[in-house]
Amino acid sequence: MDFQRAPKKTPSKSFAPQTLAGLVVTKPGEAISAAVAPVDALQAEAVPTEAVPLPFAPSPTRLQPHAPLVLTAWQQVLWHGLAVLSAFFMLRYLWWRWTESLNWDALWYALPLVMAETSAALGLFVYFYALWDHGDLKWQPPETLLAPLADDLKARSQSLIDVYITTLNEAPELVALSIRDAQALAVPKGAECRVYVLDDGARPDMEQLAHNWGVGYLSRTTNEGYKAGNLSAAIGQTQGDFIVICDADTRLFPEFLSETLGYFADPLVAWVQTPHWFYDVPQGRDLGLLLRRRLPLLGAFAARLLESIWGPVRVGRDPLANDNRLFFEVIQKRRNGAMASFCCGAGSIHRRAALLSNLGNPLGAQTVTRDQDGALTAFNYHVSEDIFTSIRLHADPVVPWKSVMHSRVLSQQLSPQDLGSRFIQLFKYAGGSLDLCLNRGVLFAKGLSLKQRLMYFSTFFGYLSCLHTLVLLFAPVVYLFSGVSPVANLGGIYLFYFAPAVLFSELALLVASGGIGDWKARAWNVSLFALHLRALARVLRRRPIRFEVTPKQRQEGRFTGLVWPNWLVVAANGLGLAVAWPAFALGLVDYRPSALVLVSFFALTNAVLMVPMLYAAYWRPGSDGEPGLGAEVA
């Protein structure tokens, strides 16, 4: 395959190395090879002058992107079989709960609990549906798109591909790294690529940076529409047929275009999304190594035993749950069959014609709108502009636009490095999604297929699940303090119905996700109940969700105030256990032994689910023997 590099511009003589906290960013044209691998290119990107690295500096330990998850044919069959068995036993359990197990003397307690269980089961069924298809699409080389366009390209001067790097207040040093990687893209022969910095901060130093690197610089007089407004303003000033969207910290790999352009040979493909991969996620410590160091004899034996069962185990890896393989490689990819994978902003490439068609389709309206700067609103002005624009394109009444989730990692980004920054990011996701669902009515948009509605409902329901999660987290506490059971026969018969439903559900989810972080992701989703409730309350009051840029550097301070609801769950369930068991032993409360054991198990489970979030609140780089950013991983 013939490739040519994006044209490099000679830096101006006025260019001076940008420095911050001891890091000197290389000048344009320095130290980068056209053939170098994306992760290896990190080695040449900076020259440290002090021992303390930048949060976005490369780590001496080079993390490699993971290979895409692919289920074999027999794994797919096994997953489907387990899902069917899970659905059967879950429906059997719910039928029993509604028809035979309610405690009619305590409906104030029994009814909310069974409704919460039913809501959780509904979420499980929708999730199963969303994961049912394997989601694999046939990849096509870029020549399938570019060959028919070759003559047209020769006849015009406009670029075929525009790369947008959006920024508001990020450090110029960080943006410089993204510019350089964008200029290092391997551009398929016959295409042309141009890079633009979209600066919503209208900063002179950013304009000078763009000039020094020989890339375009675009800004506007207002910040209307946040990132969506920034992108929309740029579309009216550039001519690319395809647009690559990057955040300030998005580092494209050279093969980004060669792996994504081919999908656009289908004239109905509107965009291709690629996974977000964070190269700065703390990797923790090897458990086997820790055991061998601290317990030389017993630890060595325990380490060999653990590694023979589970393989290498790392302690403290990814404390802030930034690794989103489950979302991109399982949830998003499985939506390809229904054409319901949605854009996630950075790391995506869009067909310009599709974005422009969005101008006349604001969910049914037939008017073209502009913002205060006169920019066309090709991206919907919303804190969740990516999924909003996706839904509008999927619901286009004229063109049935398609979307593609490409599962191979083709870029790298920075992850939030403290719980406060992570909450800023997650609150935007929750608030924006809930606003679209409850205030914008996007699920009822004309043009969406039933499959697409169910897929988007699955996304929104994940945030609405905070309502039943709240009930399930505190239901054991009521029993432990009062001895009142919400189930008429809470004992062996309960396990007969409950155990198979849970067992087959867990097995089905394990196989469907290929073992990718399913438990941790669900623990975090449960632990975020308070944040989701806060977002829901704000949306129901129709208060706007503000767009805040996720900090790219670690914010100092303690984040105890963010996790008080999680401590409340632990304290309430723990105190309930501390009260119930002595009361049972002394005969003060008439607990049924089997019921007390079951409820105690639920209370302990609730407390354990809070642990990852609590750990994240107190985690510091380098704490508990973990390597900090830029430290060597053991």
Side-chain angles (χ1 to χ4, degrees):
M1 183 182 300
D2 290 328
F3 291 101
Q4 63 182 14
R5 291 288 160 186
K8 301 284 178 52
K9 301 294 182 67
T10 303
S12 65
K13 294 181 180 180
S14 62
F15 178 87
Q18 302 291 328
T19 62
L20 181 64
L23 188 81
V24 180
V25 178
T26 51
K27 300 176 185 179
E30 277 190 358
I32 189 162
S33 167
V36 75
V39 177
D40 292 338
L42 290 170
Q43 298 176 358
E45 71 188 13
V47 180
T49 60
E50 294 182 11
V52 181
L54 274 173
F56 48 82
S59 167
T61 298
R62 306 299 170 192
L63 302 181
Q64 294 291 334
H66 44 73
L69 172 68
V70 178
L71 294 185
T72 63
W74 75 265
Q75 287 175 319
Q76 192 73 8
V77 171
L78 178 61
W79 137 240
H80 286 166
L82 289 171
V84 171
L85 288 173
S86 171
F88 169 77
F89 284 112
M90 187 63 71
L91 288 172
R92 186 185 72 147
Y93 170 73
L94 291 176
W95 177 261
W96 174 75
R97 287 286 286 117
W98 279 99
T99 60
E100 299 182 36
S101 70
L102 291 179
N103 183 355
W104 293 94
D105 294 329
L107 281 182
W108 57 271
Y109 181 18
L111 198 56
L113 179 58
V114 72
M115 291 174 65
E117 290 179 293
T118 304
S119 176
L122 173 62
L124 179 69
F125 295 153
V126 175
Y127 188 56
F128 279 177
Y129 178 80
L131 300 187
W132 190 261
D133 188 25
H134 57 74
D136 294 323
L137 295 178
K138 183 180 179 180
W139 176 82
Q140 299 186 70
E143 287 82 0
T144 57
L145 167 71
L146 297 175
L149 297 177
D151 293 336
D152 184 44
L153 287 171
K154 294 176 182 177
R156 58 179 176 163
S157 59
Q158 68 182 34
S159 63
L160 176 66
I161 304 160
D162 290 335
V163 178
Y164 290 171
I165 300 175
T166 60
T167 178
L168 175 63
N169 55 14
E170 295 86 355
E173 296 84 355
L174 178 63
V175 178
L177 298 176
S178 298
I179 293 173
R180 198 185 67 179
D181 282 2
Q183 289 186 324
L185 283 170
V187 182
K189 186 176 180 180
E192 183 183 353
C193 182
R194 295 178 183 174
V195 180
Y196 296 88
V197 173
L198 278 53
D199 181 21
D200 240 11
R203 294 163 289 173
D205 58 341
M206 189 62 68
E207 183 176 9
Q208 182 63 43
L209 178 73
H211 172 72
N212 291 337
W213 281 86
V215 300
Y217 175 84
L218 301 173
S219 64
R220 53 192 183 132
T221 58
T222 70
N223 297 121
E224 183 185 0
Y226 310 119
K227 182 179 176 181
N230 195 5
L231 292 168
S232 294
I235 288 179
Q237 302 178 66
T238 63
Q239 294 79 40
D241 299 291
F242 301 98
I243 298 169
V244 180
I245 296 178
C246 301
D247 287 340
D249 62 326
T250 303
R251 311 281 302 282
L252 298 174
F253 292 173
E255 62 269 28
F256 183 91
L257 296 177
S258 61
E259 291 208 19
T260 57
L261 277 176
Y263 290 111
F264 292 100
D266 182 344
L268 294 179
V269 170
W271 74 88
V272 177
Q273 178 68 54
T274 65
H276 293 173
W277 179 65
F278 302 112
Y279 66 91
D280 61 345
V281 169
Q283 295 302 295
R285 291 282 185 177
D286 184 272
L287 178 59
L289 182 61
L290 290 176
L291 290 173
R292 290 183 179 93
R293 286 178 177 175
R294 298 183 180 182
L295 302 170
L297 296 178
L298 182 60
F301 172 78
R304 285 195 298 271
L305 179 62
L306 287 173
E307 290 170 353
S308 66
I309 299 174
W310 287 291
V313 178
R314 304 198 72 85
V315 178
R317 182 188 179 278
D318 189 20
L320 297 169
N322 285 309
D323 189 342
N324 45 30
R325 286 190 70 191
L326 179 68
F327 173 72
F328 283 105
E329 295 191 31
V330 179
I331 298 174
Q332 275 274 67
K333 178 186 173 185
R334 304 289 176 86
R335 298 178 177 212
N336 277 337
M339 290 301 158
S341 65
F342 53 87
C343 171
C344 299
S348 61
I349 179 170
H350 299 251
R351 187 189 299 272
R352 179 187 181 88
L355 292 174
L356 293 181
S357 75
N358 189 35
L359 296 172
N361 179 32
L363 288 179
Q366 296 301 317
T367 58
V368 175
T369 57
R370 295 176 180 268
D371 66 10
Q372 294 177 12
D373 286 333
L376 301 173
T377 55
F379 289 87
N380 296 94
Y381 287 12
H382 194 267
V383 69
S384 294
E385 83 288 338
D386 40 20
I387 188 171
F388 196 7
T389 301
S390 300
I391 293 175
R392 285 180 58 168
L393 288 173
H394 280 147
D396 192 303
V398 178
V399 182
W401 293 112
K402 301 177 182 179
S403 57
V404 173
M405 178 66 219
H406 182 73
S407 58
R408 185 164 180 262
V409 173
L410 296 175
S411 65
Q412 57 192 11
Q413 294 174 279
L414 293 171
S415 63
Q417 289 298 312
D418 60 83
L419 192 64
S421 300
R422 186 77 165 114
F423 268 37
I424 289 174
Q425 183 185 65
L426 294 173
F427 188 78
K428 286 188 297 185
Y429 295 164
S433 297
L434 289 170
D435 178 69
L436 291 176
C437 178
L438 300 177
N439 293 337
R440 306 296 181 111
V442 294
L443 288 176
F444 303 101
K446 295 180 179 179
L448 288 179
S449 68
L450 177 60
K451 286 185 176 181
Q452 288 172 327
R453 294 179 200 275
L454 288 173
M455 296 293 184
Y456 281 116
F457 173 73
S458 175
T459 298
F460 299 143
F461 191 83
Y463 297 110
L464 292 169
S465 64
C466 60
L467 296 172
H468 67 242
T469 298
L470 180 65
V471 175
L472 295 175
L473 286 175
F474 289 97
V477 179
V478 177
Y479 175 81
L480 293 173
F481 277 104
S482 67
V484 177
S485 174
V487 182
N489 41 11
L490 187 60
I493 188 64
Y494 178 86
L495 281 178
F496 174 75
Y497 286 99
F498 176 76
V502 172
L503 175 62
F504 283 105
S505 296
E506 292 296 320
L507 290 174
L509 291 172
L510 179 64
V511 176
S513 65
I516 297 179
D518 185 63
W519 183 88
K520 188 172 186 178
R522 283 187 287 152
W524 264 75
N525 189 57
V526 171
S527 296
L528 287 168
F529 74 96
L531 181 141
H532 293 166
L533 284 171
R534 185 161 59 91
L536 178 60
R538 190 174 186 90
V539 168
L540 291 177
R541 295 198 303 270
R542 293 186 176 273
R543 297 180 62 185
I545 305 296
R546 295 191 303 271
F547 184 92
E548 295 184 55
V549 176
T550 305
K552 302 299 187 294
Q553 301 184 34
R554 177 174 173 79
Q555 309 300 298
E556 294 303 324
R558 296 187 176 276
F559 304 97
T560 307
L562 298 177
V563 294
W564 70 263
N566 307 92
W567 276 121
L568 181 61
V569 171
V570 173
N573 283 274
L575 185 60
L577 290 171
V579 169
W581 280 98
F584 170 70
L586 297 174
L588 300 179
V589 180
D590 187 22
Y591 295 106
R592 290 181 58 187
S594 58
L596 182 58
V597 170
L598 277 173
V599 175
S600 297
F601 171 77
F602 293 140
L604 286 171
T605 300
N606 289 342
V608 169
L609 287 171
M610 300 297 110
V611 170
M613 180 70 72
L614 295 174
Y615 176 75
Y618 299 97
W619 174 81
R620 300 288 184 276
S623 64
D624 298 329
E626 300 169 18
L629 290 177
E632 187 73 31
V633 176

